[in-house]
Amino acid sequence: EAQVTQNPRYLITVTGKKLTVTCSQNMNHEYMSWYRQDPGLGLRQIYYSMNVEVTDKGDVPEGYKVSRKEKRNFPLILESPSPNQTSLYFCASRPPGETQYFGPGTRLLVL
Amino acid sequence: AQSVSQHNHHVILSEAASLELGCNYSYGGTVNLFWYVQYPGQHLQLLLKYFSGDPLVKGIKGFEAEFIKSKFSFNLRKPSVQWSDTAEYFCGLGTYKYIFGTGTRLKVLA
């Protein structure tokens, strides 16, 4: 089944403890992206990647890192999480010239 | 700078009522527009998209949207809503860098 998967789906952590949210797609898409969703703010793009080893900032990249070493994986790294990074995170991928497929989301709480 | 505005934050309708959700954008070049829907507890699903061609776009579940370039608008419509349309709706634009609106929560009363 074609899909975008994210792990973990739910995560509670404490301020300053590094964490990684994984994203994987099995559709051989070159483009992948990360978003955060917050009430009243909608979805905001954090980072995107047009291909392996090619990444760029979205609208809200501060406090986040990404890497794209393989086409299928695009992990989101929070080196030192803070409470304002408590949010619902979505990964997405898309084929050329098409719209994005979204993953199921990761709900993060930073205490 | 690119931006997307959704004017209605919360909409409550009775079943069989008609729906129109507003979406205006600011963008200088050729624009790819889309509407996504998020049902409670689920991820985003594509309703419809406009890349080029016929400005009246038909999507899934009876939804349609009209691209009006002169008004920078891409409003979503449905002639008769159902209880199952209760969800949050997001308008957006982009090709690599994406901008979404803040969303419209629709509640349909049975």
Side-chain angles (χ1 to χ4, degrees):
Chain A
E1 181 190 353
Q3 59 184 346
V4 178
T5 57
Q6 296 178 226
N7 283 292
R9 294 289 313 281
Y10 303 91
L11 180 59
I12 301 174
T13 190
V14 296
T15 300
K17 186 175 181 182
K18 181 180 178 179
L19 66 91
T20 299
V21 184
T22 64
C23 173
S24 183
Q25 49 94 5
N26 62 1
M27 296 169 280
N28 202 36
H29 293 165
E30 292 179 347
Y31 180 92
M32 297 184 75
S33 185
W34 275 103
Y35 298 86
R36 60 178 290 174
Q37 183 180 7
D38 302 289
L41 297 176
L43 277 89
R44 293 177 292 167
Q45 191 176 38
I46 303 171
Y47 270 96
Y48 64 95
S49 170
M50 289 193 283
N51 211 331
V52 175
E53 302 291 2
V54 180
T55 63
D56 208 347
K57 297 177 181 178
D59 272 348
V60 289
E62 297 79 17
Y64 304 95
K65 283 177 57 176
V66 291
S67 71
R68 188 87 183 276
K69 292 181 170 37
E70 310 165 274
K71 187 181 274 192
R72 65 180 292 126
N73 296 322
F74 190 42
L76 179 70
I77 303 155
L78 285 72
E79 295 265 358
S80 183
S82 63
N84 65 12
Q85 292 178 297
T86 291
S87 188
L88 177 58
Y89 291 87
F90 287 100
C91 181
S93 72
R94 69 164 177 78
E98 274 300 330
T99 52
Q100 296 175 92
Y101 295 81
F102 283 84
T106 294
R107 195 168 287 278
L108 172 65
L109 173 61
V110 183
L111 300 173
Chain B
Q2 302 172 52
S3 67
V4 174
S5 297
Q6 292 182 243
H7 319 296
N8 318 99
H9 299 295
H10 292 90
V11 174
I12 301 175
L13 295 172
S14 298
E15 273 195 318
S18 64
L19 170 72
E20 181 159 4
L21 301 182
C23 174
N24 284 91
Y25 67 91
S26 171
Y27 187 71
T30 303
V31 63
N32 293 336
L33 294 157
F34 41 83
W35 278 93
Y36 278 85
V37 61
Q38 186 178 34
Y39 298 103
Q42 296 189 25
H43 61 283
L44 285 90
Q45 302 172 40
L46 180 70
L47 271 181
L48 46 78
K49 64 186 180 188
Y50 173 78
F51 286 1
S52 64
D54 189 343
L56 184 60
V57 180
K58 294 196 183 299
I60 61 171
K61 305 188 181 192
F63 286 90
E64 65 177 33
E66 186 173 12
F67 170 58
I68 303 180
K69 190 174 181 179
S70 61
K71 294 185 178 180
F72 297 92
S73 71
F74 190 55
N75 292 353
L76 182 71
R77 300 194 291 247
K78 186 171 184 178
S80 175
V81 294
Q82 300 172 309
W83 177 81
S84 58
D85 293 324
T86 293
E88 190 162 17
Y89 294 80
F90 293 95
C91 179
L93 63 81
T95 302
Y96 297 107
K97 199 163 183 178
Y98 287 87
I99 304 291
F100 285 83
T102 53
T104 298
R105 285 188 185 270
L106 171 66
K107 187 176 176 70
V108 180
L109 304 174

